[in-house]
Amino acid sequence: MYGGLPRSYRSSKRTPNPTDMNIYRTMRLIPSIMKLLCANLTNRTQRGLEERNFLAPEQAGFRSREECMSHDLTFIEVVQRRSISCQQPTYVCFIDFQKAFDTVPHEAPFLKMERARVSGKCLAFFRALYADSWMCTRLGDCSRTPSIRIRRGLRQGDRASPRLFNIFINDLLNNCRQYGLQVSWIDCGEPGEERLHRNRLAGLLLADDVVLLAPAPETLAASMQQVSAWADRWVMNIGASKCGAMVILGDSQRIRNRSWRLQNQEIPIVEKYRYLGVCLTPTLDEKAQVDEMIAKMHRRTEIARPFLSDPSICIAIRTRALRMCIIQPSTWGAEWCGMKHTNASRLHTAANRAMRLVGVGCSVQRRATNPLALGLELQIASIEAIAAGCRACIRAKGPTMRTSLSRIFMQTPTHR
């Protein structure tokens, strides 16, 4: 079986976007038996890698009990502690890889799997799967194009693809740690292994979302050179237009006095950057994030207004839609900025507009309904309660995480 998989197992189908042919990263239709088989082998491989602490502690993508918001909080906490205790700025560079999953060289993950001591039938299976992989496109009239061979890129929709990508990108920051932040309570080494610069945090990874951290412009430039060299070595392309350089809680003039380049492409200096759904500014201004959360809530409310105000629809269904489709997505980032009363009040005012539509079915301009009573009646928690619940969840999970956030809970800040 490992020497030659049936072609039907190695083939997949995709549906393109007719309005933009550059958007081809669609979910491929893979045989169910292959999904089950890949999931079984992937789970075994993942357990082995976690037991050996192979995956970098800076990587939170596609790992159990890890999440995007924990990485955002790690970034904010590290930067703020440096500023409060040492009065030092942090120089950062946000990096975006162009179509990262679809441009991975096929043999690269398997070479790195061998270095991770993944061998035998498991490695042979994945090699056979990608050695002769095929794809066809399903057209609008349900016909199919002739099959073409896939020579680069991981299989979208396959349970194994995220883990293979983690293995592929795992060593991205290895040569950058010497230029990273000196953080005494961060340990980037493996148990029992002496590793140089193990107390330096060079950056954070969530799959292909990368942010570099450095104490000075010179060290940030050196880290960027290492990332460029890594990308050139593994034939990956960096999308400069979606990257950005920034100095946090420091003098912005120092970062503007030089040019920043990745793969010989100019990297823009930004005053605002959305990292994993959170709006970050050079001053870590919470107002910028709250403004985006409110704007998102208003947009979603206007889109759902006919549905929410329709009295013919059961109020329980409308309330559930309000909670799941408007309030929950719009409070992303409340762990950071939702605990302040001024921020929570602004968010709750925006949420009241949608709640009045559900409770009264009238115009959003009407203010006759008491928002506190309406929230209790609809069983919708206040923004403060939502933020407190999200933060409590992070606090409960934090010590058991395998990423850098777990170290934060072990280190109590001495300067506040």
Side-chain angles (χ1 to χ4, degrees), residues 91-352:
Y91 296 84
V92 303
C93 180
F94 303 96
I95 299 176
D96 176 79
F97 287 97
Q98 287 184 345
K99 295 181 173 58
F101 268 61
D102 298 296
T103 55
V104 174
H106 280 179
E107 191 61 27
F110 310 132
L111 175 63
K112 297 186 179 185
M113 288 176 74
E114 289 181 346
R115 296 176 182 175
R117 292 181 291 171
V118 177
S119 58
K121 293 182 178 180
C122 181
L123 180 59
F125 170 81
F126 286 117
R127 282 189 186 275
L129 181 63
Y130 278 89
D132 192 24
S133 188
W134 295 78
M135 178 190 70
C136 66
T137 301
R138 189 172 63 182
L139 305 178
D141 58 357
C142 297
S143 61
R144 300 174 183 175
T145 63
S147 295
I148 60 174
R149 190 170 181 177
I150 305 174
R151 300 185 181 276
R152 293 190 66 179
L154 301 176
R155 292 154 53 97
Q156 297 282 350
D158 190 343
R159 284 283 302 274
S161 296
R163 273 67 176 190
L164 291 176
F165 187 83
N166 268 6
I167 295 172
F168 168 70
I169 204 172
N170 190 65
D171 59 349
L172 174 65
L173 298 179
N174 283 0
N175 294 329
C176 299
R177 289 196 178 98
Q178 57 184 317
Y179 308 112
L181 303 177
Q182 182 71 39
V183 185
S184 59
W185 38 271
I186 290 290
D187 186 0
C188 295
E190 299 180 4
E193 178 187 357
E194 289 294 333
R195 181 184 291 181
L196 191 61
H197 310 302
R198 62 186 302 156
N199 294 123
R200 288 187 177 272
L201 183 64
L204 296 171
L205 297 166
L206 196 135
D208 61 332
D209 290 305
V210 184
V211 55
L212 298 179
L213 305 173
E218 296 76 17
T219 52
L220 179 61
S223 287
M224 294 171 67
Q225 290 178 0
Q226 294 295 335
V227 171
S228 296
W230 183 94
D232 292 338
R233 184 183 309 120
W234 298 107
V235 203
M236 299 291 289
N237 296 319
I238 294 175
S241 61
K242 294 184 179 180
C243 299
M246 180 189 299
V247 57
I248 307 291
L249 302 175
D251 183 8
S252 61
Q253 195 60 36
R254 292 196 64 189
I255 203 170
R256 296 183 182 278
N257 288 337
R258 61 185 304 164
S259 63
W260 303 93
R261 307 186 71 84
L262 284 168
Q263 287 188 322
N264 294 323
Q265 303 176 80
E266 188 76 21
I267 301 301
I269 299 171
V270 295
E271 294 297 326
K272 182 188 295 185
Y273 194 91
R274 177 178 290 276
Y275 177 62
L276 303 180
V278 173
C279 182
L280 299 173
T281 64
T283 58
L284 291 184
D285 184 13
E286 296 177 0
K287 182 178 180 298
Q289 171 64 12
V290 174
D291 289 343
E292 292 211 357
M293 295 166 69
I294 292 174
K296 182 190 297 185
M297 197 174 297
H298 286 334
R299 288 195 302 268
R300 290 175 174 268
T301 299
E302 290 304 316
I303 292 173
R305 182 176 179 177
F307 176 85
L308 297 178
S309 59
D310 189 348
S312 64
I313 302 175
C314 175
I315 193 170
I317 296 177
R318 288 184 286 153
T319 301
R320 186 174 182 85
L322 167 64
R323 187 183 298 114
M324 302 300 295
C325 299
I326 297 179
I327 293 181
Q328 183 173 326
S330 302
T331 52
W332 177 263
E335 295 92 332
W336 171 39
C337 58
M339 296 294 289
K340 286 187 178 179
H341 179 69
T342 53
N343 296 337
S345 296
R346 294 181 61 205
L347 290 168
H348 204 67
T349 299
N352 289 340

Side-chain angles (χ1 to χ4, degrees), residues 391-403:
R391 183 171 289 194
C393 180
I394 288 284
R395 182 65 183 86
K397 292 172 58 177
T400 63
M401 288 181 173
R402 302 181 181 91
T403 52

